[in-house]
């Protein structure tokens, strides 16, 4: 993974804070070489016009870039039409004859995705399991009931985020993707427990919001349940480390998908607004 070097390597921009609230950034930085699933186009960046090229009167200059990327690269949201079953997407809408290479999806596209705003809940699975997770670790009903026995349960309109601790592998593409090892994550039974409480979105710090203990077996049952059966948006590649370090388990969640007509997903810049005690 590449990035800035030299005196700017550790430069960060202070986030808004006040006497009453603190805002946490939950997005990873977009940069060439960042992890991405082999099915999705990589992120690329080029400074197409540099300062000093075509200077305006008065010494004024400008710079601009060109970026290309898949909609499921970096921190992103899955649109409901991202997954289909027997040619149908959420709402029992047929999709096979309602999609095209340049027009995208007619049903279930990113343009349908509303602003994701609601009460946020963080499940720190590292704390829940008492140590670093492995691909064998899945989150089901027992784990959810154990966590929410000590924390307010999600209700209608909530957004539930799961920290597996996998973000520590972000700099190691193969390890982070888990293509050879699998991934910890949400089981279908856990997804059903959450959907029964009326959540509008859920996500994790992994590339795939799904427990994948065996890489030889396709695992999309959670995607099917959330996106196709219940219309619940899925968020992936969230950076939840700082939020967990501050033990900020309850917050206001805000994320705005891009209005991509026909899109199957969208890059996101989600935030958590935490009230100070």
């Amino acid at each position: 993974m590449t990035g800035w070097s030299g005196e700017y390597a550790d430069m960060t921009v202070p986030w808004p804070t006040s006497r009453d609230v603190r805002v946490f950034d939950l997005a990873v930085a977009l940069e060439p070489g960042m992890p991405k699933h082999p099915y999705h186009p990589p992120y690329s960046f080029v400074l197409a016009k540099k300062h000093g090229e075509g200077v305006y009167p008065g010494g004024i200059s400008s710079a601009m870039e060109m970026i290309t990327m898949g909609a499921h690269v970096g921190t992103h949201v899955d649109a409901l039409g991202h997954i289909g079953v027997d040619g149908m997407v959420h709402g029992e809408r047929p999709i096979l004859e309602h999609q095209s290479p340049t027009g995208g999806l007619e049903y279930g596209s990113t343009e349908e995705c509303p602003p994701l705003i609601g009460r946020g809940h963080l499940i720190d699975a590292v704390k829940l399991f008492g140590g670093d997770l492995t691909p064998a670790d899945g989150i089901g009903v027992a784990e959810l009931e154990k966590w929410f026995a000590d924390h307010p349960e999600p209700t209608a309109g909530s957004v539930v985020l799961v920290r597996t601790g996998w973000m520590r592998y972000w700099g190691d593409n193969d390890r982070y993707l888990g293509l050879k090892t699998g991934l910890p994550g949400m089981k279908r039974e856990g997804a059903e427990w959450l959907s029964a409480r009326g959540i509008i979105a859920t996500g994790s710090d992994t590339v795939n919001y799904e427990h994948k203990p065996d890489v030889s077996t396709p695992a999309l049952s959670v995607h099917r349940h959330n996106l196709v059966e219940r219309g619940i948006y899925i968020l992936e590649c969230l950076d939840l480390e700082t939020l967990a370090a501050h033990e900020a388990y309850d917050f206001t969640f805000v994320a705005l998908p891009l209005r991509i007509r026909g899109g199957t997903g969208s890059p996101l810049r989600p935030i958590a607004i935490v009230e100070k005690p």
Side-chain angles (χ1 to χ4, degrees), residues 24 122 124 127 163 240-249:
F24 290 84
L122 174 66
D124 189 345
K127 178 172 286 190
R163 179 207 175 215
L240 304 173
E241 294 303 292
T242 304
L243 200 62
H246 285 79
E247 298 184 343
Y249 303 126

Side-chain angles (χ1 to χ4, degrees), residues 26-140:
L26 308 182
V28 298
L30 298 177
E31 56 184 339
M34 64 191 293
K36 63 94 187 174
H37 194 280
Y39 288 171
H40 300 294
Y43 173 85
S44 64
F45 175 103
V46 60
L47 199 60
K49 182 179 181 297
K50 297 184 290 186
H51 286 289
E53 298 176 348
V55 178
Y56 295 97
I60 299 172
S61 64
S62 67
M64 61 191 71
E65 70 274 37
M66 177 178 70
I67 63 173
T68 62
M69 63 184 297
H72 299 268
V73 177
T75 304
H76 65 275
V77 59
D78 289 349
L80 300 184
H82 176 49
I83 297 293
V85 177
D86 295 330
M88 310 287 279
V89 296
H90 177 66
E92 299 185 352
R93 294 174 291 179
I95 197 62
L96 298 183
E97 303 302 322
H98 296 276
Q99 59 183 336
S100 67
T102 56
L105 306 179
E106 293 182 26
Y107 305 135
S109 78
T110 311
E111 193 173 21
E112 292 182 10
C113 184
L116 300 173
I117 303 172
R119 182 182 182 188
H121 304 264
L122 174 66
I123 300 172
D124 189 345
V126 176
K127 178 172 286 190
L128 176 64
F129 280 77
D132 292 342
L133 273 64
T134 72
D137 294 318
I139 300 169

